[in-house]
Amino acid sequence: ANDLLRVQAVRASQPGVAFPQDTHWQNEFETAFVYTETPDQLKALADIKQDMSRARPMDRLLCGDVGYGKTELAMRAAFKVVEYGKQAAVLVPTTVLAEQHFRTFGERMRDYPFTVECLNRFRTSREQKRIVAAAKAGRVDVLIGTHRLLSRDVGFADLGLVIVDEEQ
């Protein structure tokens, strides 16, 4: 508990990035969502965007049942970050979920000039080295992966958002 409090105190004292208001692309991206958002999703999205507009590190816990649309809200936050020129990392607990998110993020962002990559055990050593080098150089906008993202060799040029997708 002491370590958690210490880490939180350090985070609270650090400056964050105040992301700008939604752009035409952000609105276009959100409008392309094929489902109608629920009132709870819209409230959560407004809360996330409010957090992102403040110049302080963001901590937001989003809970919801399967089918709630948590992944869509995460993609919208990641989109805002990468459109602003920063990188987003998505940490997931399983290789299968990493691949699923890789496909979903890739499909949703395919009409935009953003690069989405996936780092997990399904990638060869050569592919992993290429992806890690590209992320460090800023050529990967969204990097999705398992605990492999926490390896010492993985780095980012300008990380703006970390999304932790934890299944219970």
Side-chain angles (χ1 to χ4, degrees), residues 87 99 102 115-145 148-149 153-157:
Q87 295 168 290
E99 289 295 316
F102 176 56
T115 302
V116 178
E117 289 285 1
C118 187
L119 198 56
N120 61 42
R121 65 184 175 91
F122 286 170
R123 301 296 179 271
T124 66
S125 180
R126 185 178 191 169
E127 287 173 314
Q128 288 188 37
K129 286 178 184 174
R130 177 191 58 78
I131 292 167
V132 166
K136 284 180 182 177
R139 294 188 312 269
V140 173
D141 298 298
V142 179
L143 183 56
I144 301 164
R148 176 70 175 91
L149 291 183
D153 65 323
V154 177
F156 296 87

Side-chain angles (χ1 to χ4, degrees), residues 12-160:
S13 70
Q14 300 297 311
V17 176
F19 291 95
Q21 295 298 312
D22 290 354
T23 64
H24 171 73
W25 269 8
Q26 182 82 35
N27 292 325
E28 182 181 88
F29 180 77
E30 292 182 13
T31 303
F33 185 51
V34 297
Y35 302 102
T36 302
E37 296 90 343
T38 66
D40 286 342
Q41 281 176 296
L42 293 172
K43 168 76 169 94
L45 180 61
D47 291 344
I48 290 167
K49 287 182 179 181
Q50 184 177 20
D51 286 350
M52 293 179 79
S53 71
R54 296 184 183 135
R56 63 180 176 83
M58 180 176 93
D59 285 313
R60 166 98 16 215
L61 176 63
L62 181 62
C63 296
D65 291 335
V66 170
Y68 173 80
K70 299 176 298 293
T71 301
E72 175 63 21
L73 296 181
M75 280 189 288
R76 291 178 184 192
F79 188 95
K80 181 177 273 298
V81 167
V82 301
E83 186 182 9
Y84 190 66
K86 298 208 172 274
Q87 295 168 290
V90 183
L91 178 65
V92 300
T94 67
T95 302
V96 171
L97 187 57
E99 289 295 316
Q100 180 182 343
H101 280 346
F102 176 56
R103 284 190 207 104
T104 303
F105 275 69
E107 287 171 11
R108 286 282 280 124
M109 294 186 179
R110 75 174 164 249
D111 294 333
Y112 301 91
F114 306 133
T115 302
V116 178
E117 289 285 1
C118 187
L119 198 56
N120 61 42
R121 65 184 175 91
F122 286 170
R123 301 296 179 271
T124 66
S125 180
R126 185 178 191 169
E127 287 173 314
Q128 288 188 37
K129 286 178 184 174
R130 177 191 58 78
I131 292 167
V132 166
K136 284 180 182 177
R139 294 188 312 269
V140 173
D141 298 298
V142 179
L143 183 56
I144 301 164
T146 58
H147 65 281
R148 176 70 175 91
L149 291 183
L150 305 176
S151 300
R152 289 188 180 175
D153 65 323
V154 177
F156 296 87
D158 195 4
L159 186 61

